[in-house]
């Protein structure tokens, strides 16, 4: 399932982790990529839900920023 958490590099121990994007019980978090755009940075989260891929966009503070519409049912393998 997985969630996305962040920590200060000076204190990387699990006790210092802060949740950035919560776990989605109905999906598995497969990959995360930071992407730079003309209106700032976003996080692209690749998830699988019942073997179907979806890509959600989040602001770098973790708040939702939309989704990428995929051309149909299928699987995405990695984000570059």
């Amino acid at each position: 399932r997985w969630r996305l958490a962040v920590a200060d590099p000076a204190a990387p121990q699990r006790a210092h982790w802060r949740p950035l994007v919560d776990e989605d019980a109905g999906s598995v978090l497969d990959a995360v990529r930071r992407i730079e755009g003309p209106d700032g940075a976003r996080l692209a989260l690749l998830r699988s839900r019942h073997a179907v891929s979806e890509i959600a966009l989040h602001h770098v503070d973790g708040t939702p920023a939309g989704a990428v519409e995929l051309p149909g049912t299928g699987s995405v393998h990695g984000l570059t």
Side-chain angles (χ1 to χ4, degrees):
R1 305 278 182 235
W2 308 103
R3 64 185 165 142
L4 181 61
V6 294
D8 183 335
Q13 298 81 9
R14 181 174 246 168
H16 300 286
W17 292 5
R18 180 177 56 84
L20 190 64
V21 178
D22 289 331
E23 178 179 17
D24 178 343
S27 71
V28 176
L29 181 60
D30 296 317
V32 177
R33 202 52 93 211
R34 180 184 169 114
I35 51 176
E36 300 292 335
D39 56 343
R42 298 284 186 274
L43 300 173
L45 279 70
L46 173 61
R47 294 184 184 271
S48 298
R49 187 180 309 274
H50 304 291
V52 177
S53 293
E54 54 188 43
I55 300 174
L57 300 175
H58 290 260
H59 297 282
V60 293
D61 67 359
T63 58
V68 175
E69 188 173 330
L70 299 175
T73 302
S75 296
V76 175
H77 295 281
L79 296 172
T80 59

